[in-house]
Amino acid sequence: MLIETTFSQVAQSLLWPVLALVALAFAYALWSAGATLMEAWQRWRVPAYAVLRPAPGDTMDELELQVLRRIEPVRLLSRLAPMLGLIATMIPLGPALQSVAAGQGQQALAVFSGAFAGVVLALAAASIGLVVYSVRRRWLLAELLALRKARGLAQ
């Protein structure tokens, strides 16, 4: 019984940090979507627009690492946000079910609505992150291919 109580208390203490991370993930998703839209506009206006700026001595491996560094944050966003949303939903689920069992349906409803809002924002952040990741990855891989061709390394 002691271990269950300890686990419950630890889980409850994680609710606010998880909700804060969900809020940050959603804000970052909106920011990265805006940055991607701006980049799309720049690419549309300037046909030879390129994000990668290789130094004369950079190897292709270093350029590939540069590509990964640019897209890794949105990749992590698209993978971690759903997990944070699930955590934000599961933490208040236990107390809400206890409220239902005790006949306090209104209290349980308030808990459930907050929990579901967290998962909705997390899933929205993950969706935005996945779209941004896919678009940016395609752009950066096309730039990398152009650099390979320019250096005579394309197959």
Side-chain angles (χ1 to χ4, degrees), residues 30-52:
L30 292 178
W31 178 82
S32 65
T36 302
L37 288 173
M38 287 299 298
E39 185 177 339
W41 181 72
Q42 290 170 336
R43 286 178 182 276
W44 178 71
R45 290 197 54 193
V46 181
Y49 181 82
V51 174
L52 296 176

Side-chain angles (χ1 to χ4, degrees), residues 24-142:
L24 287 172
F26 187 70
Y28 178 71
L30 292 178
W31 178 82
S32 65
T36 302
L37 288 173
M38 287 299 298
E39 185 177 339
W41 181 72
Q42 290 170 336
R43 286 178 182 276
W44 178 71
R45 290 197 54 193
V46 181
Y49 181 82
V51 174
L52 296 176
R53 308 255 189 259
D58 283 351
T59 66
M60 290 310 293
D61 289 338
E62 290 169 330
L63 292 174
E64 288 174 13
L65 186 59
Q66 189 179 6
V67 166
L68 287 176
R69 281 189 189 127
R70 289 187 175 272
I71 60 175
E72 191 68 20
V74 288
R75 179 180 167 273
L76 286 173
L77 172 70
S78 67
R79 291 186 177 210
L80 291 177
M83 290 181 234
L84 291 173
L86 180 61
I87 293 169
T89 302
M90 297 306 291
I91 290 173
L93 193 59
L97 290 175
Q98 288 175 345
S99 296
V100 168
Q104 301 167 338
Q106 290 296 350
Q107 184 180 358
L109 184 61
V111 171
F112 275 130
S113 63
F116 288 126
V119 78
V120 167
L121 287 180
L123 290 174
S127 301
I128 293 168
L130 182 60
V131 170
V132 168
Y133 170 75
S134 298
V135 169
R136 284 189 178 169
R137 181 175 180 264
R138 182 173 32 94
W139 288 341
L140 290 169
L141 289 177

Side-chain angles (χ1 to χ4, degrees), residues 8-29:
S8 178
Q9 290 173 346
V10 169
Q12 289 300 318
S13 69
L14 292 176
L15 181 59
W16 288 109
V18 167
L19 290 176
L21 288 173
V22 167
L24 287 172
F26 187 70
Y28 178 71

